[in-house]
Amino acid sequence: MNKIFKLYIVIFITSLIIPQNSSPKVALVLSGGAAKGYAHIPVLEMIDSLNINIDMIVGTSIGANVGSLYSVGYSGEEIYNQAFETDWVAIFLDQTKRNDMSYIHKKEASKYQIDFDLKGYYGITPSLPSGAIKGQRAYMELSKILGQYEYINDFKKLHIPFYCNASDLISGQDILLSKGSLITAVKSSTSIPSIFSPVEYKEYLLVDGGVTNNVPANIAKDLGADIIFTVKVSSSKPSKERLKSSMVDILGESVFMHTSELTKQNMDLSDYAMSVNIPNGSGASFTPNGIKNIYNIGKKEVYKNIDLFLELKDRAGPKKSRPKLKKLDELSLIVNDIKVSGNKTFNDSFIENNLNINKKDTLNLSLINNGINNLYGLGHFDIIRYELNADQETKVVDIDIFTEESKFNKLQTGLRWDHYHELIAAINIKLKDILSPNLLIKNELQFPGILKNTFEISYPLTVFSNPYYPFYRNFYYKRDINGYDTLGKKIATYDTRKIENNLGAGIVLGKNLAIELSLNYETVNLEVDVGGSQNNIINEYQNQITQSSSLMIDYDSRDDALLTKKGSLINFKIFNTNDNKKTIFFDFDLYQNIGKNIFRIHGLSRDIDEDQFYSDIFFQGQADKAIGYSPYILSSNKLEMAGLEWKYNYKSYYIRLFYSEIFSLSQSYNDFNLDGNLYSYGYGFTFNSPFGPLELIVGKAPKTLSASSKKTTTFKVNLGYKF
């Protein structure tokens, strides 16, 4: 009797400890598939609407991206909106915001189409990068939407426990990421091989989780899931023609061939499995229309499988009550320590100073994102990421900064075509840390439309938090220039050759302003190919040597060097020769956007002493300045003009209207002075192509230099970057 009583006691206590009707543990498994993964969003929206309980999320690649957002508390609808807010063009171009760049870096950015790393001290062997995209912009986009929860280092403590699957290139195995940096985990799982560089994390070299396991239902099973609901996104087999033209599809098919059997096994392992087929869908469809189309296909598939969701709801039970996660900005954490790793050339203090985060600061997401962007904008790093170690009880946080320094030795190439100069190619070699730490050597060659070579040696002391930089520049220039009289008649063609040497020093003030002082030694040679009325003047100055000192002030706050929407460009130069002759140049461009409308006010002033060499007084009429005038027809000693431009921006297209007016124009070599103002107008179209802007512009000059001169219409066509 005593034994029976004891048995009842044991049974009673056990019943209290172990609930008799405990709900099953439900896992949501989201597959990879690049942009096709946006078909996951309608699944999340249906889970939200039916209030279905989910106990864990296991994601791969885009499934990890979408799943992580859902795990921290974003709704399906919010994730959908986030997809459209993301600047996918900037991510795939890995563009740093120009306003985040240092002055020196922004002058070189977006200038060339192709970069090669150079191996060895003398950099003679080009080497392809491990991925076309280093991925810093992708990392910062993730930081904007996940950074509020980066202080949570255990993903099981998220709103919904989250597990991220990545692939280790070293071992060839799945790596399940459930602790550490949430941003780094998601970035690792979405790093498509050969497109994005691998992520170095601890002892691993991580790439897209789809390489080893695109549908990780088996991982959910190993984690103890009782019910597994798996969503796989895929597309029909791409055509031969598509595979020949799409790198993403080629990589996708290569990966999925390797994992197809495992995918089949994992779909069979799932209690509920749903496949979303995207007809002829490319994984690269990150355009707004592409995302919307993929989403709509997923939504149709969800409603086709509504019975599956209803059955899952019955088995899973209602959504469990979980507290909403606090955001980083709500915690008022005080920075206790900053640790830096991965840096070799730059010391910790340099990185901390440019991070602009100090101990005892109250940490928020804007502070750390701005700090990372500021540091990256110096142009010295390929990757900068962070990890937070927070103690919510003591209200302190440690920041770990992980850096990967850039390969400083570069071979850069670019092409440009315009209707006047035809094809222009540029090759630039940049060597750093060769002979001395921080010594920078550059040489840029342009040909054949314009033969120009620029050689520069500088010592940018900015790496020591010092804004000064001494420099030496050598400039060689060879070009045929047409000369015109006031009637618009070509009077001569001049073979111009110039060699210029500059020795000076500059100072950078903030991110937008630089001042340079230099001593200049210049030799110019002119050869006349076609005679004309000005031959006697030209022959007098066949050869010229000029020594001068100069001051340059340059302010550049533009958000983009080629397709500017806001900001300013102001440049002032003054040259004083040994015989006290002065040359003054002043240019300004002011931009402001209101919605999709972009307004530009521009102007310039040229004031050159009368006896200066003829080649120096040429002013090139251009479509973006003196529209309507052919190149070089506005040759002058003194010139003052201003203009207006309106642009309408629709996606990657720009419609443009121009107006310009010349207030003052004089030519000492033919005793011409402008009688009244000149004006011109024009219209055009610009498309932001993968090869740089494509411009088509028409300019008209109804009023010309003299009553006898011909009214002109000019056309400008160019494709590519401006060298």
Side-chain angles (χ1 to χ4, degrees):
M1 187 70 180
N2 192 34
K3 289 182 179 179
I4 295 174
F5 178 76
K6 288 180 178 178
L7 180 61
Y8 275 115
I9 294 295
V10 172
I11 293 172
F12 176 74
I13 293 173
T14 304
S15 68
L16 295 176
I17 298 173
I18 303 174
Q20 297 301 300
N21 296 310
S22 61
S23 59
K25 185 182 287 186
V26 182
L28 174 64
V29 178
L30 302 177
S31 78
K36 297 188 292 288
Y38 287 115
H40 290 314
I41 297 176
V43 173
L44 302 178
E45 290 178 329
M46 182 58 71
I47 290 173
D48 286 336
S49 68
L50 295 176
N51 208 35
I52 299 172
N53 180 62
I54 301 294
D55 294 292
M56 72 172 75
I57 299 173
V58 184
T60 285
S61 194
I62 189 67
N65 187 311
V66 173
S68 67
L69 295 178
Y70 197 66
S71 72
V72 300
Y74 286 98
S75 67
E77 183 180 359
E78 288 172 327
I79 296 171
Y80 177 74
N81 293 332
Q82 190 63 54
F84 286 93
E85 293 172 7
T86 302
D87 190 346
W88 291 107
V89 174
I91 285 175
F92 283 107
L93 294 177
D94 208 21
Q95 292 177 335
T96 305
K97 292 182 178 178
R98 198 169 187 269
N99 289 336
D100 291 328
M101 298 178 182
S102 67
Y103 174 86
I104 293 174
H105 184 40
K106 72 171 60 176
K107 288 301 183 181
E108 295 186 351
S110 303
K111 196 174 180 181
Y112 308 98
Q113 288 108 327
I114 302 173
D115 276 13
F116 294 97
D117 292 336
L118 294 175
K119 291 182 177 179
Y121 275 105
Y122 294 97
I124 58 173
T125 306
S127 66
L128 293 172
S130 56
I133 304 169
K134 298 295 184 181
Q136 182 69 20
R137 185 61 186 267
Y139 180 89
M140 295 311 299
E141 287 293 323
L142 285 171
S143 183
K144 286 194 312 186
I145 54 179
L146 291 175
Q148 293 285 5
Y149 311 99
E150 183 68 4
Y151 70 94
I152 302 174
N153 301 122
D154 187 347
F155 305 165
K156 294 189 290 295
K157 295 180 179 180
L158 297 176
H159 186 68
I160 300 174
F162 174 67
Y163 301 89
C164 181
N165 182 57
S167 304
D168 179 28
L169 287 178
I170 298 173
S171 66
Q173 302 296 315
D174 288 339
I175 301 296
L176 187 64
L177 302 172
S178 61
K179 291 185 178 180
S181 167
L182 180 60
I183 300 170
T184 299
V186 176
K187 174 67 173 60
S188 302
S189 186
T190 54
S191 292
I192 304 170
S194 299
I195 295 182
F196 288 97
S197 295
V199 176
E200 190 172 349
Y201 180 68
K202 296 181 178 178
E203 69 270 27
Y204 309 119
L205 197 60
L206 301 176
V207 294
D208 195 299
V211 171
T212 52
N213 194 346
N214 196 50
V215 186
N218 59 328
I219 294 176
K221 191 72 173 178
D222 293 340
L223 291 169
D226 301 306
I227 300 174
I228 300 174
F229 175 31
T230 298
V231 183
K232 177 174 77 74
V233 296
S234 60
S235 61
S236 55
K237 278 284 184 182
S239 65
K240 182 178 180 181
E241 288 71 23
R242 190 180 191 94
L243 285 172
K244 287 166 64 178
S245 61
S246 174
M247 179 183 293
V248 173
D249 285 326
I250 292 171
L251 289 170
E253 288 302 305
S254 301
V255 169
F256 297 149
M257 281 192 301
H258 174 70
T259 61
S260 58
E261 184 59 34
L262 178 60
T263 296
K264 184 178 181 303
Q265 292 173 8
N266 280 333
M267 294 294 284
D268 293 340
L269 181 66
S270 305
D271 299 274
Y272 301 93
M274 177 180 153
S275 294
V276 183
N277 186 60
I278 313 295
N280 300 316
S282 169
S285 300
F286 286 95
T287 63
N289 286 337
I291 293 171
K292 188 175 182 179
N293 181 54
I294 290 168
Y295 169 84
N296 287 333
I297 293 171
K299 194 169 185 177
K300 288 179 182 178
E301 198 65 33
V302 165
Y303 280 99
K304 283 182 185 178
N305 290 271
I306 190 65
D307 290 343
L308 181 151
F309 286 88
L310 294 173
E311 185 179 337
L312 176 64
K313 179 182 178 177
D314 288 339
R315 289 189 62 187
K319 185 178 290 186
K320 295 176 182 176
S321 178
R322 296 185 176 92
K324 189 177 181 181
L325 296 176
K326 287 186 177 181
K327 295 182 177 181
L328 176 66
D329 292 356
E330 300 170 345
L331 298 176
S332 299
L333 298 174
I334 304 299
V335 177
N336 176 62
D337 193 18
I338 302 173
K339 299 177 182 176
V340 180
S341 62
N343 51 314
K344 299 175 182 177
T345 305
F346 308 102
N347 56 39
D348 291 1
S349 61
F350 167 77
I351 292 173
E352 292 173 13
N353 288 338
N354 285 282
L355 194 63
N356 290 333
I357 301 175
N358 302 307
K359 295 177 182 179
K360 307 302 181 183
D361 283 347
T362 300
L363 189 65
N364 57 57
L365 187 59
S366 293
L367 183 65
I368 192 161
N369 281 351
N370 290 339
I372 296 292
N373 285 331
N374 184 67
L375 184 60
Y376 185 75
L378 297 175
H380 302 314
F381 303 93
D382 282 338
I383 292 292
I384 304 171
R385 57 183 180 86
Y386 67 94
E387 191 168 332
L388 305 180
N389 297 289
D391 189 329
Q392 296 187 57
E393 292 185 4
T394 59
K395 294 290 185 178
V396 298
V397 60
D398 293 336
I399 306 173
D400 291 333
I401 303 294
F402 303 92
T403 67
E404 181 182 329
E405 294 180 352
S406 298
K407 301 289 194 301
F408 296 126
N409 300 336
K410 297 279 189 182
L411 172 65
Q412 301 169 306
T413 62
L415 291 172
R416 180 171 179 257
W417 184 92
D418 69 55
H419 75 291
Y420 190 82
H421 302 108
E422 298 183 346
L423 186 66
I424 304 173
I427 299 175
N428 185 53
I429 295 178
K430 183 167 63 176
L431 305 176
K432 195 170 183 181
D433 301 331
I434 301 296
L435 303 173
S436 173
N438 310 310
L439 182 68
L440 178 63
I441 302 173
K442 296 190 298 181
N443 191 87
E444 181 186 78
L445 173 65
Q446 292 183 35
F447 62 95
I450 301 174
L451 182 58
K452 184 166 66 175
N453 191 83
T454 305
F455 174 79
E456 179 178 343
I457 299 178
S458 61
Y459 199 85
L461 302 178
T462 50
V463 297
F464 300 121
S465 301
N466 190 323
Y468 297 96
Y469 58 95
F471 62 84
Y472 165 75
R473 297 181 185 131
N474 175 271
F475 179 81
Y476 174 79
Y477 180 93
K478 183 180 184 299
R479 190 175 189 177
D480 290 336
I481 300 176
N482 294 326
Y484 299 86
D485 62 17
T486 59
L487 301 178
K489 181 182 178 182
K490 187 171 76 171
I491 57 174
T493 299
Y494 309 110
D495 181 2
T496 307
R497 301 180 186 183
K498 179 188 290 188
I499 300 175
E500 185 179 332
N501 293 278
N502 312 122
L503 181 64
I507 180 173
V508 175
L509 302 174
K511 293 182 178 181
N512 301 326
L513 179 64
I515 301 172
E516 289 186 358
L517 291 169
S518 66
L519 299 175
N520 315 298
Y521 184 89
E522 178 184 296
T523 61
V524 181
N525 177 268
L526 248 69
E527 295 181 3
V528 183
D529 294 331
V530 179
S533 60
Q534 306 301 317
N535 263 354
N536 60 324
I537 295 178
I538 300 303
N539 289 332
E540 188 178 339
Y541 298 100
Q542 281 280 332
N543 294 281
Q544 179 171 298
I545 298 175
T546 304
Q547 299 179 52
S548 65
S549 58
S550 64
L551 167 68
M552 186 275 292
I553 301 173
D554 188 64
Y555 178 83
D556 187 354
S557 64
R558 296 172 295 167
D559 61 341
D560 190 283
L562 302 174
L563 298 170
T564 311
K565 293 183 176 68
K566 59 182 179 181
S568 304
L569 176 64
I570 302 171
N571 185 266
F572 174 82
K573 295 180 182 177
I574 181 168
F575 297 85
N576 189 57
T577 65
N578 286 357
D579 53 357
N580 207 32
K581 295 177 181 178
K582 290 183 174 59
T583 298
I584 300 174
F585 298 91
F586 176 69
D587 294 79
F588 70 88
D589 291 88
L590 310 177
Y591 297 85
Q592 184 59 57
N593 70 303
I594 303 175
K596 294 183 178 182
N597 297 281
I598 303 164
F599 301 93
R600 168 179 169 242
I601 300 174
H602 64 84
L604 61 85
S605 176
R606 303 280 190 266
D607 192 343
I608 303 172
D609 274 338
E610 293 185 358
D611 294 332
Q612 290 289 79
F613 201 46
Y614 194 52
S615 66
D616 292 329
I617 60 180
F618 280 115
F619 170 71
Q620 181 178 352
Q622 306 175 46
D624 62 346
K625 288 285 190 183
I627 56 171
Y629 296 97
S630 300
Y632 310 121
I633 199 168
L634 298 177
S635 55
S636 64
N637 297 90
K638 300 183 186 297
L639 175 67
E640 293 178 356
M641 65 168 294
L644 300 170
E645 180 188 356
W646 169 80
K647 285 192 290 190
Y648 181 78
N649 176 213
Y650 177 73
K651 298 181 179 178
S652 298
Y653 304 92
Y654 296 79
I655 300 171
R656 307 172 68 175
L657 296 177
F658 305 88
Y659 177 83
S660 61
E661 190 161 345
I662 299 171
F663 308 115
S664 171
L665 178 71
S666 66
Q667 301 171 340
S668 63
Y669 55 88
N670 64 4
D671 298 322
F672 170 80
N673 285 281
L674 181 66
D675 183 19
N677 295 354
L678 299 177
Y679 70 92
S680 60
Y681 60 89
Y683 47 88
F685 165 84
T686 299
F687 169 66
N688 189 19
S689 79
F691 306 101
L694 169 63
E695 292 185 326
L696 306 169
I697 297 172
V698 179
K700 293 182 176 292
K703 188 177 180 181
T704 54
L705 297 181
S706 69
S708 335
S709 59
K710 186 180 179 182
K711 299 173 183 176
T712 61
T713 298
T714 61
F715 300 89
K716 180 182 179 182
V717 182
N718 72 260
L719 172 64
Y721 301 111
K722 297 179 181 178
F723 306 123

